[in-house]
Structures are given as C-alpha cells and as structure tokens.
Amino acid sequence: MNLNICSAYAPLLVRVSISLVFLWFGINQLLLPEDFMGYLPEQILGLDFAQSIVLMNGIFEIILGGLLLVGLFIRPTALLLCIHLLTIIVSLGYNDIAVRDAGLMLITFSIFLGGADKWSLDYKRNRA
C-alpha cells in the first residue's frame, strides 16, 4: 500500500474524527446534563441555571461540531472550538481530563491552520 496516496485523506480523517468527538459530547450534554455538572467550576455550579449552561454548551458543541463535519466555515469554527477547549482546560486546572482536552485543542488548532480540505464544503464553495 502506498502511504503517500493515503496521506491525502489525513485532513479529512482528522476533521471528521474531531467533529464526531464534539458531536458526541454535545449530544450527551443534552441527553444527560446531570452527568456533566461535575465539570462546571464551583462558582457556576451553585447557580440556579447551572444545568442550562450545560445544555447551552451542548447546543454550541453540536452546532460547531456539525459545521466542522460538513466542512463549512472551517477556520472560524475550528478557532472557536480551540478557544472553547482552552477555557475548559483553564477551568479544570491540571488533571488527566485537561491533558486530554489539550490534545484535542491542538488537533482542532491544526484544523484551523490547515483550513479547507478538498472534501469540505468550504473548498467546494471557493472553487465555484
């Protein structure tokens, strides 16, 4: 197998994979918001609308994960998700989840740097 041929699919695989991660987390936040309450900072956790924050975050991740999946507005979407992950990392402090999220943030940042791949709607729109 010629890996040079396969390397052309790397941007698509990375973009779709990370978008599915965001979609999974977003959907689960809508279906099971109580499971995500423990990730909220203590000052937010005590508020009456803390669960609403989890639900809004889930909607945010579903919308941006969907945009990334189809490849629409890739750079701004990836940048927003990167900043979103950075805020999560800062609020969590140093732990295993923050380290995982740092890896996801760097993957998302690489998508921002790379921009539209040839399978994205952005690429097709710019060629028309």
Side-chain angles (χ1 to χ4, degrees), residues 36-82:
F36 292 86
M37 297 295 286
Y39 297 110
L40 292 175
E42 286 184 34
Q43 59 271 31
I44 294 176
L45 194 55
L47 299 174
D48 291 337
F49 55 88
Q51 189 167 341
S52 296
I53 292 173
V54 172
L55 294 172
M56 288 186 296
N57 189 70
I59 292 168
F60 174 80
E61 289 184 0
I62 289 170
I63 291 170
L64 294 181
L67 288 172
L68 209 54
L69 181 64
V70 299
L72 193 57
F73 309 116
I74 289 177
R75 280 205 160 112
T77 298
L79 184 60
L80 281 172
L81 287 169
C82 190

mmCIF file of all heavy atoms in Angstrom, residues 36-82:
data_model
loop_
_atom_site.group_PDB
_atom_site.id
_atom_site.type_symbol
_atom_site.label_atom_id
_atom_site.label_comp_id
_atom_site.label_asym_id
_atom_site.label_seq_id
_atom_site.Cartn_x
_atom_site.Cartn_y
_atom_site.Cartn_z
ATOM 1 N N PHE A 36 -22.669 15.970 33.419
ATOM 2 C CA PHE A 36 -21.639 16.961 33.120
ATOM 3 C C PHE A 36 -21.577 18.088 34.148
ATOM 4 O O PHE A 36 -20.728 18.966 34.050
ATOM 5 C CB PHE A 36 -21.863 17.538 31.717
ATOM 6 C CG PHE A 36 -21.616 16.531 30.628
ATOM 7 C CD1 PHE A 36 -22.627 15.670 30.219
ATOM 8 C CD2 PHE A 36 -20.367 16.415 30.045
ATOM 9 C CE1 PHE A 36 -22.387 14.719 29.249
ATOM 10 C CE2 PHE A 36 -20.127 15.466 29.068
ATOM 11 C CZ PHE A 36 -21.135 14.604 28.666
ATOM 12 N N MET A 37 -22.450 18.050 35.134
ATOM 13 C CA MET A 37 -22.482 19.109 36.143
ATOM 14 C C MET A 37 -21.178 19.168 36.937
ATOM 15 O O MET A 37 -20.737 20.242 37.328
ATOM 16 C CB MET A 37 -23.667 18.900 37.091
ATOM 17 C CG MET A 37 -25.024 18.992 36.409
ATOM 18 S SD MET A 37 -25.383 20.614 35.767
ATOM 19 C CE MET A 37 -25.734 21.471 37.272
ATOM 20 N N GLY A 38 -20.535 18.044 37.153
ATOM 21 C CA GLY A 38 -19.309 17.999 37.931
ATOM 22 C C GLY A 38 -18.132 18.688 37.270
ATOM 23 O O GLY A 38 -17.126 18.963 37.920
ATOM 24 N N TYR A 39 -18.244 18.967 35.974
ATOM 25 C CA TYR A 39 -17.162 19.642 35.256
ATOM 26 C C TYR A 39 -17.258 21.162 35.344
ATOM 27 O O TYR A 39 -16.347 21.861 34.924
ATOM 28 C CB TYR A 39 -17.145 19.223 33.784
ATOM 29 C CG TYR A 39 -16.873 17.753 33.601
ATOM 30 C CD1 TYR A 39 -17.858 16.895 33.158
ATOM 31 C CD2 TYR A 39 -15.617 17.224 33.881
ATOM 32 C CE1 TYR A 39 -17.611 15.541 32.990
ATOM 33 C CE2 TYR A 39 -15.352 15.872 33.722
ATOM 34 C CZ TYR A 39 -16.363 15.040 33.275
ATOM 35 O OH TYR A 39 -16.105 13.710 33.120
ATOM 36 N N LEU A 40 -18.368 21.655 35.867
ATOM 37 C CA LEU A 40 -18.543 23.101 35.989
ATOM 38 C C LEU A 40 -17.714 23.632 37.157
ATOM 39 O O LEU A 40 -17.586 22.966 38.183
ATOM 40 C CB LEU A 40 -20.018 23.447 36.224
ATOM 41 C CG LEU A 40 -20.974 23.184 35.062
ATOM 42 C CD1 LEU A 40 -22.413 23.457 35.502
ATOM 43 C CD2 LEU A 40 -20.619 24.025 33.857
ATOM 44 N N PRO A 41 -17.167 24.833 36.993
ATOM 45 C CA PRO A 41 -16.462 25.456 38.128
ATOM 46 C C PRO A 41 -17.430 25.648 39.295
ATOM 47 O O PRO A 41 -18.634 25.836 39.102
ATOM 48 C CB PRO A 41 -16.001 26.802 37.566
ATOM 49 C CG PRO A 41 -16.048 26.659 36.083
ATOM 50 C CD PRO A 41 -17.111 25.649 35.788
ATOM 51 N N GLU A 42 -16.909 25.612 40.516
ATOM 52 C CA GLU A 42 -17.748 25.690 41.715
ATOM 53 C C GLU A 42 -18.627 26.937 41.744
ATOM 54 O O GLU A 42 -19.772 26.871 42.175
ATOM 55 C CB GLU A 42 -16.872 25.634 42.964
ATOM 56 C CG GLU A 42 -16.319 24.258 43.234
ATOM 57 C CD GLU A 42 -15.546 24.210 44.530
ATOM 58 O OE1 GLU A 42 -15.906 24.923 45.490
ATOM 59 O OE2 GLU A 42 -14.560 23.452 44.573
ATOM 60 N N GLN A 43 -18.094 28.074 41.290
ATOM 61 C CA GLN A 43 -18.874 29.309 41.328
ATOM 62 C C GLN A 43 -20.082 29.255 40.385
ATOM 63 O O GLN A 43 -21.082 29.911 40.632
ATOM 64 C CB GLN A 43 -18.012 30.539 41.041
ATOM 65 C CG GLN A 43 -17.308 30.547 39.716
ATOM 66 C CD GLN A 43 -15.938 29.908 39.739
ATOM 67 O OE1 GLN A 43 -15.674 28.993 40.503
ATOM 68 N NE2 GLN A 43 -15.048 30.371 38.877
ATOM 69 N N ILE A 44 -20.017 28.456 39.348
ATOM 70 C CA ILE A 44 -21.151 28.310 38.424
ATOM 71 C C ILE A 44 -22.080 27.205 38.907
ATOM 72 O O ILE A 44 -23.300 27.293 38.758
ATOM 73 C CB ILE A 44 -20.651 28.034 36.989
ATOM 74 C CG1 ILE A 44 -19.911 29.260 36.449
ATOM 75 C CG2 ILE A 44 -21.800 27.656 36.066
ATOM 76 C CD1 ILE A 44 -19.293 29.081 35.091
ATOM 77 N N LEU A 45 -21.505 26.172 39.492
ATOM 78 C CA LEU A 45 -22.281 25.014 39.939
ATOM 79 C C LEU A 45 -23.379 25.401 40.922
ATOM 80 O O LEU A 45 -24.450 24.808 40.925
ATOM 81 C CB LEU A 45 -21.338 23.984 40.565
ATOM 82 C CG LEU A 45 -21.886 22.587 40.781
ATOM 83 C CD1 LEU A 45 -22.446 21.996 39.499
ATOM 84 C CD2 LEU A 45 -20.806 21.685 41.342
ATOM 85 N N GLY A 46 -23.148 26.412 41.725
ATOM 86 C CA GLY A 46 -24.132 26.838 42.713
ATOM 87 C C GLY A 46 -25.261 27.684 42.157
ATOM 88 O O GLY A 46 -26.234 27.959 42.865
ATOM 89 N N LEU A 47 -25.167 28.100 40.917
ATOM 90 C CA LEU A 47 -26.207 28.955 40.330
ATOM 91 C C LEU A 47 -27.445 28.141 39.955
ATOM 92 O O LEU A 47 -27.344 26.954 39.635
ATOM 93 C CB LEU A 47 -25.659 29.656 39.085
ATOM 94 C CG LEU A 47 -24.452 30.583 39.298
ATOM 95 C CD1 LEU A 47 -23.932 31.098 37.969
ATOM 96 C CD2 LEU A 47 -24.822 31.736 40.224
ATOM 97 N N ASP A 48 -28.598 28.796 39.975
ATOM 98 C CA ASP A 48 -29.856 28.129 39.643
ATOM 99 C C ASP A 48 -29.890 27.640 38.193
ATOM 100 O O ASP A 48 -30.568 26.673 37.881
ATOM 101 C CB ASP A 48 -31.042 29.069 39.878
ATOM 102 C CG ASP A 48 -31.264 29.359 41.352
ATOM 103 O OD1 ASP A 48 -30.831 28.533 42.190
ATOM 104 O OD2 ASP A 48 -31.861 30.405 41.660
ATOM 105 N N PHE A 49 -29.151 28.307 37.324
ATOM 106 C CA PHE A 49 -29.197 27.971 35.907
ATOM 107 C C PHE A 49 -27.959 27.185 35.446
ATOM 108 O O PHE A 49 -27.636 27.169 34.263
ATOM 109 C CB PHE A 49 -29.391 29.229 35.053
ATOM 110 C CG PHE A 49 -28.360 30.302 35.290
ATOM 111 C CD1 PHE A 49 -27.174 30.321 34.577
ATOM 112 C CD2 PHE A 49 -28.579 31.283 36.248
ATOM 113 C CE1 PHE A 49 -26.230 31.301 34.792
ATOM 114 C CE2 PHE A 49 -27.644 32.274 36.470
ATOM 115 C CZ PHE A 49 -26.459 32.278 35.743
ATOM 116 N N ALA A 50 -27.307 26.509 36.378
ATOM 117 C CA ALA A 50 -26.094 25.754 36.042
ATOM 118 C C ALA A 50 -26.379 24.680 34.990
ATOM 119 O O ALA A 50 -25.604 24.497 34.051
ATOM 120 C CB ALA A 50 -25.496 25.127 37.294
ATOM 121 N N GLN A 51 -27.497 23.984 35.134
ATOM 122 C CA GLN A 51 -27.837 22.947 34.157
ATOM 123 C C GLN A 51 -28.111 23.564 32.785
ATOM 124 O O GLN A 51 -27.784 22.966 31.763
ATOM 125 C CB GLN A 51 -29.034 22.124 34.615
ATOM 126 C CG GLN A 51 -29.282 20.913 33.731
ATOM 127 C CD GLN A 51 -30.256 19.932 34.339
ATOM 128 O OE1 GLN A 51 -30.509 19.942 35.532
ATOM 129 N NE2 GLN A 51 -30.802 19.074 33.514
ATOM 130 N N SER A 52 -28.650 24.755 32.755
ATOM 131 C CA SER A 52 -28.880 25.447 31.484
ATOM 132 C C SER A 52 -27.558 25.753 30.788
ATOM 133 O O SER A 52 -27.489 25.726 29.550
ATOM 134 C CB SER A 52 -29.655 26.746 31.706
ATOM 135 O OG SER A 52 -30.936 26.469 32.214
ATOM 136 N N ILE A 53 -26.518 26.023 31.550
ATOM 137 C CA ILE A 53 -25.197 26.268 30.967
ATOM 138 C C ILE A 53 -24.698 25.006 30.275
ATOM 139 O O ILE A 53 -24.160 25.071 29.168
ATOM 140 C CB ILE A 53 -24.213 26.771 32.046
ATOM 141 C CG1 ILE A 53 -24.631 28.161 32.517
ATOM 142 C CG2 ILE A 53 -22.776 26.762 31.517
ATOM 143 C CD1 ILE A 53 -23.851 28.681 33.692
ATOM 144 N N VAL A 54 -24.898 23.860 30.914
ATOM 145 C CA VAL A 54 -24.505 22.590 30.294
ATOM 146 C C VAL A 54 -25.289 22.379 29.002
ATOM 147 O O VAL A 54 -24.724 21.982 27.969
ATOM 148 C CB VAL A 54 -24.710 21.403 31.265
ATOM 149 C CG1 VAL A 54 -24.500 20.074 30.561
ATOM 150 C CG2 VAL A 54 -23.793 21.533 32.465
ATOM 151 N N LEU A 55 -26.587 22.649 29.028
ATOM 152 C CA LEU A 55 -27.418 22.477 27.837
ATOM 153 C C LEU A 55 -26.992 23.428 26.715
ATOM 154 O O LEU A 55 -26.898 23.015 25.549
ATOM 155 C CB LEU A 55 -28.896 22.683 28.180
ATOM 156 C CG LEU A 55 -29.492 21.638 29.128
ATOM 157 C CD1 LEU A 55 -30.889 22.053 29.561
ATOM 158 C CD2 LEU A 55 -29.494 20.259 28.501
ATOM 159 N N MET A 56 -26.703 24.683 27.047
ATOM 160 C CA MET A 56 -26.251 25.639 26.032
ATOM 161 C C MET A 56 -24.900 25.223 25.463
ATOM 162 O O MET A 56 -24.653 25.362 24.265
ATOM 163 C CB MET A 56 -26.181 27.053 26.617
ATOM 164 C CG MET A 56 -27.542 27.668 26.863
ATOM 165 S SD MET A 56 -27.473 29.395 27.397
ATOM 166 C CE MET A 56 -26.648 29.267 28.968
ATOM 167 N N ASN A 57 -24.039 24.711 26.318
ATOM 168 C CA ASN A 57 -22.746 24.230 25.856
ATOM 169 C C ASN A 57 -22.929 23.049 24.899
ATOM 170 O O ASN A 57 -22.235 22.944 23.885
ATOM 171 C CB ASN A 57 -21.871 23.817 27.044
ATOM 172 C CG ASN A 57 -20.461 23.527 26.625
ATOM 173 O OD1 ASN A 57 -19.718 24.435 26.266
ATOM 174 N ND2 ASN A 57 -20.077 22.258 26.648
ATOM 175 N N GLY A 58 -23.873 22.179 25.213
ATOM 176 C CA GLY A 58 -24.163 21.053 24.332
ATOM 177 C C GLY A 58 -24.644 21.514 22.965
ATOM 178 O O GLY A 58 -24.208 20.990 21.935
ATOM 179 N N ILE A 59 -25.514 22.497 22.945
ATOM 180 C CA ILE A 59 -26.011 23.046 21.672
ATOM 181 C C ILE A 59 -24.862 23.669 20.890
ATOM 182 O O ILE A 59 -24.722 23.454 19.687
ATOM 183 C CB ILE A 59 -27.144 24.060 21.932
ATOM 184 C CG1 ILE A 59 -28.379 23.333 22.476
ATOM 185 C CG2 ILE A 59 -27.476 24.841 20.658
ATOM 186 C CD1 ILE A 59 -29.445 24.249 23.036
ATOM 187 N N PHE A 60 -24.015 24.429 21.581
ATOM 188 C CA PHE A 60 -22.840 25.052 20.968
ATOM 189 C C PHE A 60 -21.950 23.994 20.314
ATOM 190 O O PHE A 60 -21.545 24.129 19.160
ATOM 191 C CB PHE A 60 -22.073 25.828 22.055
ATOM 192 C CG PHE A 60 -20.771 26.422 21.628
ATOM 193 C CD1 PHE A 60 -20.735 27.615 20.932
ATOM 194 C CD2 PHE A 60 -19.570 25.790 21.943
ATOM 195 C CE1 PHE A 60 -19.523 28.183 20.547
ATOM 196 C CE2 PHE A 60 -18.354 26.345 21.564
ATOM 197 C CZ PHE A 60 -18.333 27.541 20.858
ATOM 198 N N GLU A 61 -21.665 22.912 21.050
ATOM 199 C CA GLU A 61 -20.787 21.876 20.516
ATOM 200 C C GLU A 61 -21.437 21.103 19.375
ATOM 201 O O GLU A 61 -20.752 20.687 18.432
ATOM 202 C CB GLU A 61 -20.344 20.937 21.641
ATOM 203 C CG GLU A 61 -19.373 21.610 22.592
ATOM 204 C CD GLU A 61 -18.830 20.694 23.669
ATOM 205 O OE1 GLU A 61 -19.202 19.500 23.707
ATOM 206 O OE2 GLU A 61 -18.012 21.174 24.477
ATOM 207 N N ILE A 62 -22.743 20.918 19.409
ATOM 208 C CA ILE A 62 -23.434 20.234 18.307
ATOM 209 C C ILE A 62 -23.394 21.085 17.044
ATOM 210 O O ILE A 62 -23.094 20.591 15.951
ATOM 211 C CB ILE A 62 -24.888 19.895 18.699
ATOM 212 C CG1 ILE A 62 -24.891 18.769 19.732
ATOM 213 C CG2 ILE A 62 -25.702 19.499 17.461
ATOM 214 C CD1 ILE A 62 -26.244 18.511 20.357
ATOM 215 N N ILE A 63 -23.681 22.365 17.178
ATOM 216 C CA ILE A 63 -23.683 23.248 16.003
ATOM 217 C C ILE A 63 -22.285 23.321 15.393
ATOM 218 O O ILE A 63 -22.108 23.111 14.182
ATOM 219 C CB ILE A 63 -24.205 24.652 16.367
ATOM 220 C CG1 ILE A 63 -25.703 24.583 16.683
ATOM 221 C CG2 ILE A 63 -23.938 25.646 15.232
ATOM 222 C CD1 ILE A 63 -26.271 25.853 17.288
ATOM 223 N N LEU A 64 -21.276 23.603 16.221
ATOM 224 C CA LEU A 64 -19.920 23.743 15.689
ATOM 225 C C LEU A 64 -19.346 22.401 15.239
ATOM 226 O O LEU A 64 -18.640 22.338 14.228
ATOM 227 C CB LEU A 64 -19.013 24.425 16.701
ATOM 228 C CG LEU A 64 -19.385 25.876 17.004
ATOM 229 C CD1 LEU A 64 -18.424 26.493 17.986
ATOM 230 C CD2 LEU A 64 -19.460 26.708 15.752
ATOM 231 N N GLY A 65 -19.671 21.326 15.938
ATOM 232 C CA GLY A 65 -19.249 20.001 15.500
ATOM 233 C C GLY A 65 -19.864 19.637 14.160
ATOM 234 O O GLY A 65 -19.208 19.046 13.298
ATOM 235 N N GLY A 66 -21.119 20.012 13.955
ATOM 236 C CA GLY A 66 -21.789 19.766 12.677
ATOM 237 C C GLY A 66 -21.167 20.573 11.542
ATOM 238 O O GLY A 66 -20.978 20.061 10.430
ATOM 239 N N LEU A 67 -20.857 21.840 11.820
ATOM 240 C CA LEU A 67 -20.197 22.672 10.807
ATOM 241 C C LEU A 67 -18.839 22.098 10.423
ATOM 242 O O LEU A 67 -18.480 22.051 9.243
ATOM 243 C CB LEU A 67 -20.034 24.109 11.304
ATOM 244 C CG LEU A 67 -21.299 24.953 11.377
ATOM 245 C CD1 LEU A 67 -21.017 26.280 12.082
ATOM 246 C CD2 LEU A 67 -21.871 25.188 9.996
ATOM 247 N N LEU A 68 -18.113 21.626 11.413
ATOM 248 C CA LEU A 68 -16.808 21.030 11.146
ATOM 249 C C LEU A 68 -16.966 19.726 10.363
ATOM 250 O O LEU A 68 -16.187 19.444 9.451
ATOM 251 C CB LEU A 68 -16.090 20.781 12.467
ATOM 252 C CG LEU A 68 -14.576 20.807 12.460
ATOM 253 C CD1 LEU A 68 -14.033 22.096 11.871
ATOM 254 C CD2 LEU A 68 -14.044 20.598 13.857
ATOM 255 N N LEU A 69 -17.992 18.953 10.679
ATOM 256 C CA LEU A 69 -18.225 17.685 9.992
ATOM 257 C C LEU A 69 -18.430 17.886 8.495
ATOM 258 O O LEU A 69 -17.836 17.174 7.681
ATOM 259 C CB LEU A 69 -19.425 16.962 10.605
ATOM 260 C CG LEU A 69 -19.777 15.609 10.006
ATOM 261 C CD1 LEU A 69 -18.657 14.608 10.240
ATOM 262 C CD2 LEU A 69 -21.088 15.095 10.584
ATOM 263 N N VAL A 70 -19.251 18.853 8.134
ATOM 264 C CA VAL A 70 -19.519 19.087 6.711
ATOM 265 C C VAL A 70 -18.473 19.992 6.069
ATOM 266 O O VAL A 70 -18.446 20.144 4.851
ATOM 267 C CB VAL A 70 -20.940 19.650 6.468
ATOM 268 C CG1 VAL A 70 -21.988 18.669 6.947
ATOM 269 C CG2 VAL A 70 -21.130 21.010 7.098
ATOM 270 N N GLY A 71 -17.637 20.595 6.892
ATOM 271 C CA GLY A 71 -16.570 21.437 6.356
ATOM 272 C C GLY A 71 -17.031 22.813 5.941
ATOM 273 O O GLY A 71 -16.599 23.344 4.928
ATOM 274 N N LEU A 72 -17.885 23.397 6.739
ATOM 275 C CA LEU A 72 -18.397 24.734 6.452
ATOM 276 C C LEU A 72 -17.862 25.699 7.507
ATOM 277 O O LEU A 72 -17.969 25.427 8.705
ATOM 278 C CB LEU A 72 -19.920 24.712 6.469
ATOM 279 C CG LEU A 72 -20.654 25.909 5.905
ATOM 280 C CD1 LEU A 72 -20.253 26.182 4.449
ATOM 281 C CD2 LEU A 72 -22.158 25.676 5.981
ATOM 282 N N PHE A 73 -17.282 26.813 7.051
ATOM 283 C CA PHE A 73 -16.660 27.802 7.933
ATOM 284 C C PHE A 73 -15.589 27.137 8.818
ATOM 285 O O PHE A 73 -15.540 27.339 10.027
ATOM 286 C CB PHE A 73 -17.692 28.522 8.806
ATOM 287 C CG PHE A 73 -18.851 29.090 8.044
ATOM 288 C CD1 PHE A 73 -20.138 28.615 8.255
ATOM 289 C CD2 PHE A 73 -18.661 30.069 7.088
ATOM 290 C CE1 PHE A 73 -21.210 29.126 7.543
ATOM 291 C CE2 PHE A 73 -19.725 30.590 6.370
ATOM 292 C CZ PHE A 73 -21.003 30.116 6.598
ATOM 293 N N ILE A 74 -14.736 26.342 8.192
ATOM 294 C CA ILE A 74 -13.776 25.527 8.928
ATOM 295 C C ILE A 74 -12.877 26.360 9.836
ATOM 296 O O ILE A 74 -12.744 26.054 11.021
ATOM 297 C CB ILE A 74 -12.925 24.674 7.972
ATOM 298 C CG1 ILE A 74 -13.791 23.579 7.371
ATOM 299 C CG2 ILE A 74 -11.725 24.067 8.685
ATOM 300 C CD1 ILE A 74 -13.084 22.723 6.350
ATOM 301 N N ARG A 75 -12.261 27.378 9.299
ATOM 302 C CA ARG A 75 -11.305 28.136 10.128
ATOM 303 C C ARG A 75 -11.967 28.822 11.312
ATOM 304 O O ARG A 75 -11.498 28.663 12.441
ATOM 305 C CB ARG A 75 -10.526 29.119 9.267
ATOM 306 C CG ARG A 75 -9.396 28.444 8.525
ATOM 307 C CD ARG A 75 -8.290 29.435 8.184
ATOM 308 N NE ARG A 75 -7.072 28.716 7.918
ATOM 309 C CZ ARG A 75 -6.501 28.642 6.717
ATOM 310 N NH1 ARG A 75 -7.040 29.256 5.689
ATOM 311 N NH2 ARG A 75 -5.389 27.963 6.571
ATOM 312 N N PRO A 76 -13.041 29.598 11.116
ATOM 313 C CA PRO A 76 -13.644 30.220 12.297
ATOM 314 C C PRO A 76 -14.215 29.200 13.281
ATOM 315 O O PRO A 76 -14.127 29.376 14.497
ATOM 316 C CB PRO A 76 -14.732 31.137 11.741
ATOM 317 C CG PRO A 76 -14.871 30.807 10.310
ATOM 318 C CD PRO A 76 -13.665 30.064 9.883
ATOM 319 N N THR A 77 -14.776 28.114 12.758
ATOM 320 C CA THR A 77 -15.330 27.073 13.624
ATOM 321 C C THR A 77 -14.228 26.418 14.444
ATOM 322 O O THR A 77 -14.354 26.252 15.661
ATOM 323 C CB THR A 77 -16.075 26.022 12.779
ATOM 324 O OG1 THR A 77 -17.162 26.647 12.111
ATOM 325 C CG2 THR A 77 -16.588 24.885 13.641
ATOM 326 N N ALA A 78 -13.138 26.044 13.788
ATOM 327 C CA ALA A 78 -12.029 25.405 14.500
ATOM 328 C C ALA A 78 -11.426 26.356 15.532
ATOM 329 O O ALA A 78 -11.071 25.930 16.636
ATOM 330 C CB ALA A 78 -10.972 24.931 13.511
ATOM 331 N N LEU A 79 -11.323 27.631 15.206
ATOM 332 C CA LEU A 79 -10.773 28.593 16.151
ATOM 333 C C LEU A 79 -11.687 28.742 17.372
ATOM 334 O O LEU A 79 -11.212 28.759 18.515
ATOM 335 C CB LEU A 79 -10.542 29.946 15.479
ATOM 336 C CG LEU A 79 -9.884 31.004 16.353
ATOM 337 C CD1 LEU A 79 -8.508 30.547 16.820
ATOM 338 C CD2 LEU A 79 -9.780 32.323 15.600
ATOM 339 N N LEU A 80 -12.991 28.830 17.149
ATOM 340 C CA LEU A 80 -13.931 28.923 18.274
ATOM 341 C C LEU A 80 -13.846 27.681 19.158
ATOM 342 O O LEU A 80 -13.849 27.784 20.394
ATOM 343 C CB LEU A 80 -15.362 29.103 17.767
ATOM 344 C CG LEU A 80 -15.763 30.494 17.323
ATOM 345 C CD1 LEU A 80 -17.137 30.476 16.675
ATOM 346 C CD2 LEU A 80 -15.753 31.446 18.512
ATOM 347 N N LEU A 81 -13.772 26.510 18.539
ATOM 348 C CA LEU A 81 -13.674 25.275 19.315
ATOM 349 C C LEU A 81 -12.344 25.197 20.067
ATOM 350 O O LEU A 81 -12.290 24.694 21.188
ATOM 351 C CB LEU A 81 -13.864 24.060 18.411
ATOM 352 C CG LEU A 81 -15.306 23.837 17.946
ATOM 353 C CD1 LEU A 81 -15.354 22.786 16.851
ATOM 354 C CD2 LEU A 81 -16.209 23.457 19.115
ATOM 355 N N CYS A 82 -11.301 25.708 19.465
ATOM 356 C CA CYS A 82 -9.997 25.737 20.112
ATOM 357 C C CYS A 82 -10.044 26.637 21.357
ATOM 358 O O CYS A 82 -9.580 26.249 22.437
ATOM 359 C CB CYS A 82 -8.954 26.232 19.116
ATOM 360 S SG CYS A 82 -7.266 26.063 19.669
#
